[in-house]
Amino acid sequence: MRALTESDYQDQMQVVAINEPADAETICHLTRFDSTHGRFAGKVSVENECLIVNDQTIQLSHCESVSDIQWQEIDLVLECSGAFVDRASAEAHLQQGAKKVLFSQPAMGSGMDKTIVFGVNQQELIPEDTIISNASCTTNASVPVLKLINDTYGIDCASITTIHSAMNDQP
């Protein structure tokens, strides 16, 4: 949400709802003070279970189960929790009213319509694709560069080592 709000694309896409287990005041605080993105330059407040960001109202919900969420009039769910990672959980979003689901992480199993890495294969997307994975952060960081090198010089063999902070689901 921060990246979109601070980008040139904010007129093309609007965040209308966020489902987050944390309470509204915590969401507000984390929007203002992000350890990665720093302090938010805009205005952020909470009113009636809504996050108000630069005069835009974003409805908040705190559902642990997708079946409890009502995605009315939602074109795209950005599934960034990491808790839902397969086609069945994506279809639950569709059953609740979303038109499309984009996973911010690799999907489990084979059931995605596509796995897309921008700069590599985004041209493969078609309007009928409804459940898409954006691959992993390592993939998004390395594959566009590897594609450029391979297209220009060719690659016979490659190895990548990733140092990554601990994730929420890793003991």
Side-chain angles (χ1 to χ4, degrees):
M1 191 276 307
R2 281 274 308 265
L4 178 62
T5 303
E6 295 171 342
S7 77
D8 294 332
Y9 298 101
Q10 59 189 330
D11 295 332
Q12 297 174 31
M13 181 182 268
Q14 181 182 10
V15 177
V16 296
I18 296 174
N19 182 59
E20 162 64 44
D23 64 87
E25 289 299 329
T26 300
I27 296 168
C28 181
H29 177 81
L30 293 174
T31 302
R32 282 188 194 137
F33 307 102
D34 187 276
S35 60
T36 300
H37 300 285
R39 289 179 184 246
F40 182 60
K43 297 181 291 183
V44 183
S45 62
V46 172
E47 185 178 309
N48 300 325
E49 275 307 302
C50 291
L51 188 66
I52 314 297
V53 180
N54 293 335
D55 300 322
Q56 178 189 348
T57 301
I58 302 170
Q59 183 65 48
L60 298 176
S61 62
H62 311 282
C63 303
E64 291 186 25
S65 172
V66 174
S67 62
D68 295 332
I69 304 169
Q70 292 299 310
W71 294 127
Q72 304 297 327
E73 308 278 328
I74 300 292
D75 294 323
L76 175 66
V77 168
L78 302 176
E79 176 47 67
C80 302
S81 70
F84 308 106
V85 295
D86 58 15
R87 184 166 191 96
S89 58
E91 286 176 344
H93 284 293
L94 300 177
Q95 292 165 359
Q96 294 306 106
K99 294 176 184 163
K100 296 181 186 284
V101 178
L102 174 63
F103 284 104
S104 67
Q105 70 276 347
M108 302 290 276
S110 60
M112 298 299 107
D113 294 333
K114 300 269 181 356
T115 296
I116 298 296
V117 177
F118 191 79
V120 177
N121 68 336
Q122 76 278 358
Q123 69 280 358
E124 294 177 13
L125 282 173
I126 59 173
E128 293 78 25
D129 292 332
T130 58
I131 302 173
I132 302 157
S133 170
N134 189 223
S136 70
C137 53
T138 301
T139 301
N140 278 279
S142 59
V143 171
V145 174
L146 289 171
K147 181 183 184 318
L148 179 64
I149 293 169
N150 188 56
D151 290 351
T152 305
Y153 304 107
I155 296 175
D156 292 328
C157 182
S159 177
I160 298 172
T161 300
T162 301
I163 299 173
H164 201 292
S165 60
M167 301 292 285
N168 185 8
D169 62 344
Q170 296 171 325

